[in-house]
């Protein structure tokens, strides 16, 4: 799998065409996507047979202010089996599990077809190996900057998760900083190698003189 590099301020490329999505496995970078829209698109693709891996779930966006979403989630935490809370419902705090449950709610997961679809899904906080060295996609139909009106409130899922009990935001942030440092060093090394190869090619072309044109004509440039 090719290792891709890009600035963190830019969107990952290429973008994902949801109408013709089928690949062996698709890695979706969740950063900057709206959770509900992303979940609906992924649910449909899972039911179609596509394998999907969602990374950086903590960077998902949710429409509405943090305060409002926190109140809604705290109300959700109050829902439990009165006689025995261990019977459920179970309230996940990790962003990856929140996304997983949102997708599950859009799939008939109690049927064999739905259960098979859920087996094709993986969700992660951060970007663990080996997905840090694989090409990651975005879904334009679910990106916040194109789907949420300018000026509307939104919050980051990782911040919301921490507010309601997620305890691993610091660990994920530390691991992500290490990954970005590794990627930056790798990109710099690749840049140096390309520059050295280009310089060596120019020097070799100068040595062979007129034969360079003949070699280029036969596809050996």
């Amino acid at each position: 799998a090719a290792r891709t590099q890009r600035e963190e301020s830019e969107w990952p490329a290429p973008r994902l065409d949801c109408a013709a999505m089928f690949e062996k496995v698709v890695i979706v970078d969740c950063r900057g996507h709206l959770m509900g829209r992303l979940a609906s698109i992924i649910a449909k693709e899972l039911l179609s047979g596509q394998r999907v891996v969602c990374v950086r779930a903590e960077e998902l966006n949710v429409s509405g202010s943090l305060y409002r979403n926190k109140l809604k989630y705290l109300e959700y935490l109050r829902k439990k089996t009165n006689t025995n809370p261990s019977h459920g419902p179970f309230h996940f705090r990790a962003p990856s599990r929140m996304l997983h449950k949102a997708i599950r709610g859009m799939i008939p997961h109690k049927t064999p077809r739905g259960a098979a679809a859920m087996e094709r899904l993986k969700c992660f906080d951060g970007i663990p190996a080996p997905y840090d060295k694989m090409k990651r996609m975005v879904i334009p139909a679910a990106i916040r900057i194109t789907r949420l009106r300018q000026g509307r409130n939104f919050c980051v899922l990782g911040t919301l998760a921490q507010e309601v009990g997620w305890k691993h935001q610091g660990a994920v942030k530390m691991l992500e900083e290490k990954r970005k440092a590794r990627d930056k060093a790798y990109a710099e090394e690749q840049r140096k190698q390309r520059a050295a190869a280009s310089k060596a090619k120019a020097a070799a072309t100068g040595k062979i003189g007129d034969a360079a044109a003949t070699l280029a004509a036969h596809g050996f440039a």
Side-chain angles (χ1 to χ4, degrees), residues 47-92:
L47 289 169
S48 299
Q50 178 64 58
R51 293 183 181 275
V52 180
V53 178
C54 300
V55 296
R56 286 212 283 190
E58 76 280 1
E59 296 290 339
L60 277 166
N61 294 151
V62 181
S63 60
S65 67
L66 176 62
Y67 180 76
R68 183 180 179 86
N69 280 299
K70 182 179 177 181
L71 289 180
K72 288 165 65 177
Y73 204 87
L74 292 176
E75 182 66 22
Y76 163 65
L77 291 180
R78 292 182 64 249
K79 293 178 169 60
K80 59 185 177 181
T81 302
N82 196 31
T83 55
N84 191 347
S86 65
H87 288 175
F90 304 107
H91 312 99
F92 299 111

Side-chain angles (χ1 to χ4, degrees), residues 192-213:
K192 290 180 180 178
Q193 290 182 8
R194 286 194 297 269
S198 179
K199 185 177 180 181
K201 183 178 179 180
T205 303
K207 289 181 180 180
I208 60 177
D210 296 338

